[in-house]
Amino acid sequence: MLQRELIDTTQIEDGVTLELYTHAGHFMIVMGRNELMSTRMRFSEEQLADLTIDRLGKDNARILIGGYGMGFTYRAAAAKLGAKAQIVVAEISDAIIDWAKGPMAALTGEGLADPRLDLKICDVAALIDDANDGTCAKFDAILLDVDNGPDGIVRDANNRIYSRTGLAKARDALKPGGILAVWSAGPDPAFRKRLYDTGLTITEWNVRSRPNNKGAHHIIWFAQKTSPQKS
């Protein structure tokens, strides 16, 4: 029986250790006993982008993706958006991008050279703040997959993104009609309540981790900012 092989280890903020493994031609990023992501199960991360862009109904959107990971959400967005789109990706760890360019280069392809991509090594919360203080333009969509759901399991600092204050900031960083989309490994009634409290229009979507209705059940919340009424 094939054993998984450790390729590399890195530490991110808060002293958290992430490990990159390969097994039977697949890759996985692991934190302790938690498998955070894997090339075997990518469908729901891709749906995070596909379903958000479908709801926006525009291919020239300016979007912010919180967390590069293995690039599933980013590449799905890049495939769906047009040439005039802007895709800002916030990734907290240089090592994650090094893995994308190195061991996982075949998976990454030419994606990181896409002229629509603006890759930032920073906390996604900082870019949300920038949109609110006028340092950068606001977003048509903000897609968050920086943890295993709306709980700072990877970084304690991620909790602020999912707090009432953090969600209000994300709401305010959206253009009228914009969408905040949040991926989660499972249900979270307390978070859903906080999301409803933002005043956005909420849809909770169940999606499987693999196509053809297979794999684990994951959740995506879509929270849309109502466009102003035309007089």
Side-chain angles (χ1 to χ4, degrees), residues 57-95:
K58 57 194 298 187
D59 70 356
N60 63 342
R62 170 176 163 80
I63 71 170
L64 171 61
I65 299 175
Y68 177 84
M70 290 184 169
F72 301 135
T73 301
Y74 160 64
R75 285 191 296 277
K80 201 157 185 93
L81 290 170
K84 294 183 178 180
Q86 297 177 313
I87 309 172
V88 183
V89 177
E91 172 53 57
I92 198 68
S93 172
D94 280 300

Side-chain angles (χ1 to χ4, degrees), residues 164 167-168 171 193-202 223:
R164 282 183 171 81
L167 292 173
R171 175 198 63 207
K193 172 64 167 61
R194 294 197 300 274
L195 200 54
Y196 271 99
D197 289 345
T198 63
L200 300 172
T201 301
I202 312 300

Side-chain angles (χ1 to χ4, degrees), residues 106-136:
L107 176 68
T108 304
E110 298 298 320
L112 294 178
D114 192 317
R116 298 170 298 173
L117 171 63
D118 184 6
L119 177 62
K120 307 284 192 185
I121 304 299
C122 70
D123 190 330
V124 67
L127 298 183
I128 291 171
D129 287 342
D130 285 350
N132 283 322
D133 66 20
T135 303
C136 73

Side-chain angles (χ1 to χ4, degrees), residues 192-227:
R192 181 175 56 199
K193 172 64 167 61
R194 294 197 300 274
L195 200 54
Y196 271 99
D197 289 345
T198 63
L200 300 172
T201 301
I202 312 300
T203 301
E204 182 174 301
W205 195 267
N206 290 276
V207 63
R208 302 295 285 268
S209 61
R210 298 180 183 179
N212 302 320
N213 205 31
K214 295 180 179 179
H217 292 266
H218 295 158
I219 302 290
I220 302 173
W221 290 280
F222 301 97
Q224 189 155 22
K225 190 172 186 176
T226 304
S227 298

Side-chain angles (χ1 to χ4, degrees), residues 21-33:
Y21 285 91
T22 184
H23 177 258
H26 287 278
F27 293 96
M28 57 219 67
I29 295 177
V30 175
M31 183 190 72
R33 299 188 179 205

